[in-house]
Amino acid sequence: MGIFFIILIIIFLCWPWITKWLRGYMARRAEDMVRRMAGMPSRKEEQKRRREQERQQKRNGFSAGSTRGRNRASTNGKDTDSIRSMQEYAEDVEFTETKEYSETEIIEDDGKGNRRVYRESQVSDAEYIEIKK
């Protein structure tokens, strides 16, 4: 019985740290779930990729103690990665809507003389022109 009270007192005293850890754990899980749904790599995969890039930069002559290498890796590395990915996936396209619409009309009658009309219209097709440089 005494051990139970000691464990209970320890849990009571450590409760702020326990809740902080649980909130962080749940936030990390939620972030991983959102990343997975968006098709992005998980945080672990991103950390592995970052470590591998740092290893390659060290092999290419950038030392960890060098401020020039550190600044170049921290600022330009992120910018060039984002620019490279944008150039890789981006397409310059001009979209124009066609005049062909499909429309659905729903009439709801509640029996008391009140009518509700729901109309939905949607473009069925779009034309586009690809812009190449």
Side-chain angles (χ1 to χ4, degrees):
M1 189 71 169
I3 294 174
F4 176 72
F5 285 125
I6 291 173
I7 292 173
L8 202 61
I9 290 171
I10 290 174
I11 290 175
F12 179 73
L13 292 175
C14 296
W15 189 250
W17 293 286
I18 292 171
T19 56
K20 184 178 179 182
W21 178 80
L22 279 173
R23 285 183 185 141
Y25 176 74
M26 294 307 288
R28 288 187 298 273
R29 283 193 54 185
E31 181 183 350
D32 284 339
M33 187 174 21
V34 169
R35 283 174 172 261
R36 217 176 304 124
M37 285 189 284
M40 293 173 55
S42 66
R43 290 180 298 119
K44 288 182 182 179
E45 292 172 356
E46 207 168 276
Q47 288 173 353
K48 287 178 186 177
R49 183 179 56 88
R50 206 174 295 133
R51 283 189 210 122
E52 185 62 33
Q53 282 180 347
E54 288 174 4
R55 286 185 195 130
Q56 286 180 352
Q57 287 175 353
K58 286 180 183 178
R59 287 184 201 139
N60 292 338
F62 295 123
S63 65
S66 164
T67 57
R68 178 182 285 173
R70 234 184 309 151
N71 288 341
R72 194 174 296 158
S74 65
T75 58
N76 291 343
K78 291 178 187 174
D79 294 339
T80 56
D81 286 346
S82 61
I83 291 171
R84 189 177 305 128
S85 66
M86 285 183 357
Q87 289 172 346
E88 196 173 302
Y89 296 111
E91 293 181 12
D92 291 333
V93 176
E94 259 184 48
F95 287 96
T96 56
E97 293 182 5
T98 61
K99 294 181 181 180
E100 185 178 332
Y101 288 94
S102 64
E103 190 170 307
T104 304
E105 185 173 313
I106 301 170
I107 300 173
E108 184 179 292
D109 194 6
D110 63 356
K112 296 180 182 179
N114 297 332
R115 277 178 63 173
R116 289 186 178 173
V117 178
Y118 299 102
R119 288 192 178 96
E120 298 177 359
S121 61
Q122 181 176 353
V123 177
S124 62
D125 197 9
E127 297 177 4
Y128 65 93
I129 302 169
E130 190 172 342
I131 302 169
K132 295 184 178 182
K133 292 183 180 181

